[in-house]
Amino acid sequence: MNFGRRGRPAETVPPLGRPVPGRDVPDPCLVVIAGPRLGHCIHVHEVPVVIGRDPGADFQITDPSVSRLHCTIWQDAGRIHLRDFGSKNGTVVNGRRVDHTTLREGDQLVLGDVVLKFVSGQLESRYHQALFGLATLDTLTQLLNRRQFRILLDEHVGTLAPEAPFSVVIIDVDRFKQVNDVLGHDAGDRVLRAIAMTIRRHLRPDDAAGRLGGDEFAVMLPGMDLDAAAAWAESLRAAIAALPGPVSISIGLAERRDPTDTPTLMLHSADMALLRAKKDGRDTVRRSP
């Protein structure tokens, strides 16, 4: 059997910063129920899906307890097959270490410190996806919540090549307290939802957006240096300024300048740039020096 690139997507999860889609899930799947990538689904079909820590794995789990190429799973004649690749910590199914086995509804897999559950019914698949949404999305805006955004940011930065460009954006709504005080909190909620929708429309497939709290948002832009991020941010600022009503945003930008730069450092730099945007009159974009 060839374990190469898949012919169909290995995982189906909500696009980053977008709501969970309410649709049927035709394939059986493995759901991560403990460990990194909590709530993500690995859909199983005829093309083998390789699970491991390696960036080339079909489903990557960046946890040191998971081997680079840990195991593979595929469907054949209605049966779900699982094979371990000689991993260091082994593949454990229902408490028993296995080299090769077939899975049944409800089986639990342990890969190092990561736990997955096999589900084949559409109802339970939708249930797990709904739980994923409740645990990771902000209920008002349907962007990622603060915790999940930080988890994704940390995971992504941890896997970047040293020379890979990467930028972060922090967005704050200008004079938002006045909107709530004058027009009421319902109007304020409508403003936040409209801004979140505009942010989502500007996201590329690998970007992620989250609501940090209140009227503050953040976006990560893999593959963008500071110049490209500034152009992206200016486009977003103009789009939000064009929304109905007197609404505007201030934006601060920062990029990873050194492979040792941490997500916390980049967010702090973007936050300092945001403060400069506020001091410079709002409704503007400022980048970290």
Side-chain angles (χ1 to χ4, degrees):
M1 179 176 294
N2 286 322
F3 297 102
R5 300 307 299 165
R6 58 191 178 273
R8 298 171 63 190
E11 64 171 311
T12 299
V13 295
L16 304 181
R18 294 179 171 86
V20 178
R23 65 172 186 82
D24 289 342
V25 180
D27 295 324
C29 64
L30 288 174
V31 181
V32 181
I33 61 174
R37 308 195 69 174
L38 179 68
H40 283 68
C41 299
I42 309 171
H43 284 209
V44 185
H45 34 75
E46 292 80 7
V47 179
V49 175
V50 175
I51 303 170
R53 199 176 72 251
D54 192 274
D58 296 309
F59 186 85
Q60 185 187 19
I61 303 177
T62 55
D63 187 282
S65 67
V66 176
S67 294
R68 294 182 67 84
L69 298 177
H70 199 107
C71 63
T72 185
I73 184 170
W74 72 98
Q75 184 174 174
D76 183 31
R79 304 180 75 184
I80 307 301
H81 296 264
L82 175 73
R83 176 175 293 160
D84 183 77
F85 280 149
S87 59
K88 179 180 179 181
N89 291 320
T91 298
V92 178
V93 178
N94 299 330
R96 181 173 61 91
R97 186 163 178 161
V98 301
D99 293 320
H100 176 253
T101 190
T102 56
L103 298 181
R104 296 183 178 181
E105 178 75 26
D107 281 352
Q108 287 200 6
L109 287 69
V110 178
L111 315 180
D113 296 330
V114 180
V115 183
L116 305 97
K117 181 179 180 181
F118 175 67
V119 295
S120 59
Q122 292 184 2
L123 181 60
E124 189 164 5
S125 296
R126 288 197 300 269
Y127 170 72
H128 280 286
Q129 288 195 345
L131 286 182
F132 175 74
L134 290 173
T136 61
L137 298 180
D138 173 66
T139 54
L140 176 65
T141 64
Q142 291 297 291
L143 297 178
L144 298 174
N145 60 32
R146 182 187 186 97
R147 176 179 176 274
Q148 187 63 19
F149 180 83
R150 279 305 308 261
I151 288 173
L152 285 175
L153 180 63
D154 291 346
E155 288 181 352
H156 200 102
V157 171
T159 61
L160 285 175
E163 70 283 357
F166 186 90
S167 295
V168 293
V169 179
I170 294 185
I171 302 159
D172 189 82
V173 184
D174 296 329
R175 300 182 177 89
F176 184 68
K177 185 177 183 300
Q178 293 182 15
V179 175
N180 280 332
D181 291 346
V182 175
L183 301 177
H185 288 278
D186 287 345
D189 287 350
R190 288 194 295 271
V191 167
L192 293 178
R193 283 194 292 265
I195 290 173
M197 183 178 297
T198 307
I199 292 172
R200 282 198 298 271
R201 288 172 177 165
H202 278 70
L203 296 179
R204 303 165 303 160
D206 291 335
D207 299 338
R211 183 185 180 197
L212 300 184
D215 60 340
E216 192 170 71
F217 303 88
V219 181
M220 69 177 195
L221 301 171
M224 281 196 191
D225 61 15
L226 206 55
D227 288 338
W232 181 93
E234 178 57 33
S235 174
L236 176 68
R237 186 207 61 77
I240 288 176
L243 292 174
V247 57
S248 67
I249 58 172
S250 297
I251 302 177
L253 309 173
E255 68 176 343
R256 189 183 69 149
R257 299 183 182 276
D258 186 272
T260 61
D261 286 353
T262 64
T264 299
L265 176 62
M266 286 187 286
L267 287 173
H268 176 74
S269 298
D271 202 39
M272 293 300 99
L274 173 64
L275 290 177
R276 291 205 344 266
K278 291 289 189 181
K279 290 179 180 179
D280 290 346
R282 301 182 174 87
D283 191 22
T284 190
V285 177
R286 291 293 180 265
R287 58 176 76 188
S288 62

